[in-house]
Amino acid sequence: MPNILTSLEQAKADGQKKFVVLIDPDKVRLGNMDRVLDLAVEVGVDYFFIGGSLIVNNALDQCLLAIKERCHIPMILFPGSSLQLSWKADAILFLSLISGRNPDLLIGNHVIAAPYLKLSPLEIMPTGYMLMDGGAPTSVLYMSNTRPIPTHKDDIAVCTAMAGEMLGLRLMYMDAGSGAQVPVPEHIIESVSGALKIPLIVGGGIRTPEKAAANVQAGADVIVVGNAIEKDPGLVREMAAAVHGKG
Ligand code: 1GP
C-alpha cells in the first residue's frame, strides 16, 4: 500500500481531486455519526481528518475506534494541540502554522510531540497551515493567538506558501477555520495553487457542492468539509460528487 502522502502527490500529478470529511471527536456522540460513516463509504470519501482547535471530552481514542469498527477510510489526525495525539489513527498532519508568528505553533509543540511520534506507527505528513480570514473570529483564530492572512492579499498568501514549500513542507493547507462565515475565495486558491508543486488542501466554511466544485476548479487538490456535513449528513453525497468531478 502506498503511503498517504505519496497517494496525494500521485493524485495531484494525475489531476484527481480528493474529498475529506472533518470529524470533531467531541461531536461523535451526538448521534448522526454512524450515518455519516455509512454514507462516506458509499460515496467514496477519501480520508477523514480527526481533530479540532479545542477538544473538551477526551474522546479522541474512542472516536478513532468507533470509525475503525465501521469502515476502512484512512484516518488522519488534524491536531489542535500536542494533546491530540493517538496511535489509533493512520497518519498525522504535522502542522506548522506558517501564516502566524506564534513560535509554539511553528516549532515548539513539534519538539514536544517528536519523541512520541518517532515511536508511533503514524505516517507523519509535514504540512504548512495557513489560516485565512474567514470573515468572523473562529476557534482556531482565538486558540492559535495568530492573525489570519487577509483574503485580498494574494501576494502574502503566495509568498507564505512558497516559503513553506521551500522549507520542505509536503502539503499546504489553506483554512478559513471551522465554521468560517466566508470560505477561502477562489482567486486566492488560484494564486496559491499556481505557485506550488505540492498538493493544496482547502477548507473552512464550505457549505455547498457548488463552492467545493469552484475550489477544485481554481486549483485546490483536496477539499475538507466538517460543519456542513455534521448539520446535514446527506450533503456528503453531493459534496463528494462535486469534488470528484461527477457532480
Ligand atoms: C476546518 O477546514 C476545516 O479546519 C473544515 O471547516 O467545519 O467549516 O467545514 P468546516
Side-chain angles (χ1 to χ4, degrees):
M1 269 265 288
N3 64 25
I4 298 174
L5 257 178
T6 312
S7 306
L8 289 172
E9 286 162 358
Q10 190 57 51
K12 182 179 174 76
D14 297 343
Q16 266 173 32
K17 308 295 182 176
K18 299 288 183 186
F19 181 50
V20 171
V21 171
L22 172 68
I23 294 182
D24 180 340
D26 276 347
K27 298 184 182 155
V28 167
R29 281 172 290 188
L30 291 185
N32 60 14
M33 188 53 50
D34 287 352
R35 170 121 200 275
V36 172
L37 297 180
D38 292 347
L39 276 170
V41 172
E42 195 186 314
V43 305
V45 166
D46 296 287
Y47 305 102
F48 290 125
F49 283 176
I50 317 286
S53 301
L54 178 67
I55 292 186
V56 295
N57 280 330
N58 194 22
L60 180 60
D61 278 349
Q62 196 189 331
C63 169
L64 292 163
L65 284 173
I67 296 171
K68 210 173 240 173
E69 264 173 24
R70 209 159 177 106
C71 70
H72 298 292
I73 297 173
M75 302 181 291
I76 303 172
L77 295 174
F78 173 42
S81 80
S82 45
L83 292 175
Q84 293 177 33
L85 302 177
S86 170
W87 284 32
K88 295 185 170 61
D90 298 292
I92 179 168
L93 295 178
F94 200 44
L95 299 163
S96 186
L97 205 169
I98 60 173
S99 58
R101 300 296 178 267
N102 177 342
D104 284 336
L105 301 181
L106 280 163
I107 184 65
N109 283 340
H110 311 68
V111 173
I112 293 166
Y116 175 97
L117 293 174
K118 184 86 177 168
L119 288 177
S120 84
L122 295 168
E123 180 185 345
I124 314 292
M125 303 164 68
T127 304
Y129 185 78
M130 293 169 55
L131 183 58
M132 309 301 295
D133 191 1
T138 53
S139 302
V140 58
L141 192 145
Y142 182 83
M143 292 304 293
S144 69
N145 199 15
T146 65
R147 292 224 301 261
I149 296 179
T151 47
H152 60 287
K153 298 289 187 189
D154 290 44
D155 52 351
I156 296 180
V158 166
C159 295
T160 304
M162 285 193 318
E165 185 177 71
M166 288 171 186
L167 280 166
L169 297 169
R170 303 275 301 274
L171 300 169
M172 198 55 61
Y173 189 166
M174 278 210 290
D175 194 358
S178 197
Q181 234 167 43
V182 186
V184 181
E186 283 109 86
H187 68 83
I188 208 156
I189 297 173
E190 207 170 321
S191 305
V192 169
S193 73
L196 287 180
K197 290 198 179 72
I198 57 176
L200 176 63
I201 307 169
V202 176
I206 299 172
R207 294 182 181 83
T208 63
E210 290 75 19
K211 177 58 179 154
N215 285 357
V216 293
Q217 201 63 36
D221 300 296
V222 180
I223 297 294
V224 186
V225 180
N227 267 279
I229 288 169
E230 245 168 53
K231 286 193 188 116
D232 176 9
L235 205 53
V236 76
R237 186 184 304 281
E238 293 163 76
M239 287 283 190
V243 174
H244 293 144
K246 298 170 191 155

